Amino acid sequence: MAHGAEKVRLSLQKENTGWKKWGPYLSERQWGTVREDYSGNGDAWNYITHEMALSKAYRWGEDGIGGFSDNKQHICLSFAFWNHKDKLIKERIFGLTNRESNHGEDVKEMYYYLDSTPTHSYTKMLYKYPQQPFPYEKIRQENARRGKQDPEYEIMDTGVFENDEYFDIFIEHAKADEEDILMKVTVFNRGPKDAPITVLPTILFRNTWSWGYEAFNYKPIMNGISNRLIEVTHRKHGKYNLYLDNADELLFCENETNFKKLYGTSNNTSYPKDGINDHVVSGGKSGTINPNSIGTKASARFTKTIKAGESATFKLRFVNHTISEPFGGFEDLFSKRIREADEFYDDLQKEVSDPDLKSIQRQSYAGMLWSKQFYYYNVYEWLKGDPAQPGPNQGRKWGRNSGWKHLYAANIISMPDKWEYPWFAAWDLAFHCVPLARVDAGFAKRQLEILLREYYMHPNGQIPAYEWNFSDVNPPVHGWATWKVYEIDQEQNNGVGDIEFLEKIFHKLLLNFTWWVNQKDDTGNNIFSGGFLGLDNIGVFDRSTPMPFGGKLQQADATGWMAMYTLNMLRISVEVSLVHPVYQDMASKFFEHFLHIAGAMESIGGKNSSISLWDEEDQFYYDVIHIPNGQSILLKVRSIVGLIPLFAVEILDPQNLDKLPVFKRRVEWVLANRPDLARLISRWFESGKGENRLLSILRGHRMKMIMKRMLDESEFLSDFGVRALSKYHEANPYKFYINGEVLQVDYTPAEALTDIMGGNSNWRGPIWFPLNYLVFDSLMKFHAYYGEDFLIEYPTNSGNLTTIKDAAVGIACRLIDIFKKDTEGNRAVYGHDEKMQKDPHFNEHVLFYEYFHGDNGRGCGASHQTGWTGLVAELIHKTAHEQVKQLEKEELEISK
């Protein structure tokens, strides 16, 4: 039974309706996305630029600062600001495109997600807005000047925050009910002088009427009543009132493109999308707002000079009925929702005692919950074009995503980052669901189901990767995530698991598993390829393109992932078999398939059967490239690729096996009759802790050798987690000679220095949370089998012997230390930036980056990728739980 107001609300509605109908579902960047690209050459970044976005109506979604919308994004609420010096109002977050930045697309603003409940009954974010002109051109010019050897030029480097001449703008939402949203903007002047600001709460309808579809020929309307009320009428949603607390004026225009400004052609309206911007910046002289106070986009203008060191608050309320005193009890309601949010997180964090860790964990959950987005993309309509618009280039029919005409997305989906990656990514999403399950298991389960639906998954069984290329291949981690979410949900539900969820997912995963076997094991020998597999530039070659000289690559990571996938499917089928015994045959199938992959990894056969993915000389796994002349070469790059086989580990409870006689009988027959396969895994008949049975590619010796290298601080182990590339390559770069050319892999601990796969990604040395979490999870499984008496050296060459669990917790703590204050009050994530380290208006707020410097923990890449970096929340939970268990054990021993 649910206890606490927020838990009760969660229990009332599993889907994105009810209390979840309204939430932070706007993107932070709709421009520069594939969905909005109707160019002839597929240049999404330049088809709609940041400046064009001010004037062009979007086709597939909306963006904004602090944006809230309904679950289909028909009615959108957000905030714009003007410091009285910029040439345009601050209506959306700014950043550089892939080509403009020396390390790929990058947001160039300072903002933080501070709080959110899972139903968004309360949310809070902070946006830092300079009082001097925003340094758009300075950022562009300096980044254009820099090369890949140089660091990125960030907004903190421009000096706009040095004299505290900025506003701290806190945006909060509190729901009085499912359709009653209170909004508050509190603006602090952090500077030494009084400064003016214009605050523009904005409401608009997503444009559904301009594209020529009969079903959407209706155009909704808003109209202003005095300066205190905007009436909103939408055929689908009914009527709403947006109440304003003493606005200076109401401004109306249309959410339609300014064709004259962008293309030199005639407009459909005298008051296009940028009308409010032009009116505000011109001081009311532009004539671009509707004097009749009607339109499909509207803002309330609040202008105030805020004294140095003081603040001002602006209030509004959006509700589906009439209220005589809309701001009566306003602050009391906010206080109540904040208390309920505290109650929810106090319960969730009851085992976390460190206040700093509580703050980090809560902010990471906030980032994940704020990063939900309504994602809309009908590929069939996008390919053929809209009836009322010019037809797209003919090459579009056979270009990007043309093989995905069935894909029709219109869902609330967890984004990796709503500015840099405002589109779902299949393997990112799998990792998101683990920490999300801790706060809202229903939402996490729904997320895993979405990409497996028939209008997402390809008819051939492939899961769509991401909108830039749905056909790219991501690691098969959906099965792993499904089991982790099931376990967390079961734990929170008094030990009762959602078997229906497992069974539903299992059926769809079967299709995907079959796709992998048919498409990525083209020789049928259980050794897999798959391309870059999300690891971008990890190797010698661009693994997403054909190999040079006609070579064929067989990948240790692809094969390791598939071994892990088979064990995930085995574990799920065993669990379902306990309720539905017919699934025992599926458990047998995946058990045998796992054995065949394990056998293949031992020796890949072919003309040179002495070559395997395991190198006896180095005691490590490597990719193998086969040359047409019959030669096979190990690509000896000591990378995360060689650690991935560690993830293929699963433990089975013998009590469950006794309940599954058909499966148990088949297992014992296979092991008795195929000793060649049985010898390749930890032996079934050797019981471990509690008589558990272990399935793992890594036998005792190989497991120890992999761990030895992984836990070596001169190789993979950093002070802040496990590196993606061994530091060995810093002094010993790997070189591959081909046609008189040398291809080289160096240890590069931060931003990428190579163009392979481009962007700001770099897997050649930095620390990435998803694979580190898999390391932690796998080590905990090994410990559950081997127990307290099995000791390893951690770190390698330290002389310190410890259990596998303690090593896993040690790695987790190193990862947490990226964000945790050290003894001097600094956070490693902020590097050498003095202001971010020492100023409490910066240092108390945490950014969750895409990846982290392999030597010092500095944040790199996307700065709001709470998506998979949000796994830190689960690591905080797990390590705190282990500490509580240890204390209880010690107290028990004392009492004896």
Side-chain angles (χ1 to χ4, degrees), residues 392-640:
N393 183 281
Q394 286 299 302
R396 191 183 190 86
K397 294 180 180 178
W398 300 278
R400 176 178 287 143
N401 295 330
S402 57
W404 292 79
K405 297 181 180 67
H406 71 284
L407 196 146
Y408 186 171
N411 298 95
I412 304 298
I413 302 181
S414 175
M415 297 293 119
D417 176 312
K418 289 207 292 188
W419 195 94
E420 300 208 21
Y421 307 114
W423 27 260
F424 72 82
W427 85 304
D428 297 57
L429 185 61
F431 292 111
H432 301 184
C433 290
V434 176
L436 280 171
R438 191 68 62 184
V439 289
D440 186 354
F443 180 74
K445 288 187 283 187
R446 186 175 173 84
Q447 291 295 287
L448 290 170
E449 292 171 7
I450 282 176
L451 296 192
L452 302 178
R453 291 175 180 170
E454 60 277 8
Y455 42 90
Y456 282 83
M457 178 186 274
H458 198 281
N460 65 17
Q462 185 177 10
I463 296 174
Y466 43 81
E467 67 176 29
W468 287 93
N469 184 359
F470 285 132
S471 294
D472 262 350
V473 183
N474 281 177
V477 290
H478 234 70
W480 172 85
T482 296
W483 180 251
K484 299 310 294 183
V485 168
Y486 173 83
E487 283 188 313
I488 293 170
D489 183 42
Q490 184 181 45
E491 174 191 331
Q492 295 178 329
N493 197 32
N494 298 316
V496 179
D498 188 349
I499 293 294
E500 184 179 345
F501 160 72
L502 272 190
E503 192 174 5
K504 183 177 182 180
I505 291 279
F506 182 78
H507 289 161
K508 292 297 185 70
L509 288 178
L510 278 174
L511 300 176
N512 180 246
F513 186 91
T514 302
W515 176 85
W516 270 93
V517 170
N518 290 338
Q519 296 295 320
K520 299 303 173 182
D521 176 20
D522 56 3
T523 61
N525 65 4
N526 290 296
I527 292 290
F528 294 82
S529 58
F532 81 109
L533 286 178
L535 300 185
D536 295 14
N537 59 17
I538 194 71
V540 182
F541 312 110
D542 180 350
R543 302 195 305 176
S544 64
T545 61
M547 293 296 101
F549 49 77
K552 178 174 177 55
L553 191 68
Q554 293 185 313
Q555 298 174 212
D557 59 334
T559 308
W561 286 123
M562 282 303 290
M564 172 179 140
Y565 199 178
T566 58
L567 291 182
N568 301 148
M569 295 296 278
L570 168 61
R571 190 66 191 84
I572 293 170
S573 56
V574 165
E575 188 77 1
V576 177
S577 293
L578 296 173
V579 178
H580 304 296
V582 70
Y583 282 82
Q584 291 179 83
D585 285 345
M586 297 309 301
S588 299
K589 176 262 184 298
F590 285 108
F591 175 80
E592 293 187 41
H593 204 137
F594 170 72
L595 292 181
H596 285 294
I597 293 175
M601 289 193 75
E602 173 76 5
S603 176
I604 60 177
K607 294 182 179 179
N608 191 350
S609 59
S610 65
I611 293 286
S612 76
L613 297 178
W614 175 260
D615 181 49
E616 287 292 344
E617 180 181 1
D618 287 358
Q619 298 288 293
F620 201 66
Y621 283 107
Y622 296 119
D623 287 349
V624 174
I625 189 166
H626 300 279
I627 300 173
N629 66 8
Q631 185 181 6
S632 297
I633 303 171
L634 282 169
L635 300 175
K636 294 192 175 185
V637 180
R638 297 183 189 177
S639 76
I640 200 78

Side-chain angles (χ1 to χ4, degrees), residues 183 544 706 860:
M183 290 166 274
S544 64
I706 290 286
C860 306

Side-chain angles (χ1 to χ4, degrees), residues 820-884:
K820 187 180 178 182
K821 287 182 180 179
D822 63 18
T823 54
E824 297 179 358
N826 295 330
R827 302 184 193 274
V829 64
Y830 290 143
H832 299 298
D833 192 301
E834 188 70 15
K835 191 167 189 66
M836 293 186 77
Q837 292 289 17
K838 300 303 182 184
D839 189 328
H841 297 309
F842 286 83
N843 179 258
E844 292 302 317
H845 310 307
V846 181
L847 292 175
F848 299 89
Y849 286 81
E850 184 179 4
Y851 56 101
F852 303 87
H853 193 290
D855 297 331
N856 60 37
R858 173 178 62 84
C860 306
S863 56
H864 294 80
Q865 190 154 342
T866 325
W868 60 21
T869 300
L871 285 161
V872 70
E874 190 63 8
L875 290 176
I876 290 171
H877 175 88
K878 293 285 190 182
T879 54
H881 182 66
E882 289 299 327
Q883 289 169 0
V884 169

Side-chain angles (χ1 to χ4, degrees), residues 113-117 122-125 341-342 345 362 366 370:
Y113 304 118
L114 301 181
D115 210 356
S116 181
T117 59
Y122 176 71
T123 69
K124 184 179 184 180
M125 72 167 288
D342 290 344
Y345 283 109
R362 187 157 170 177
W370 269 93

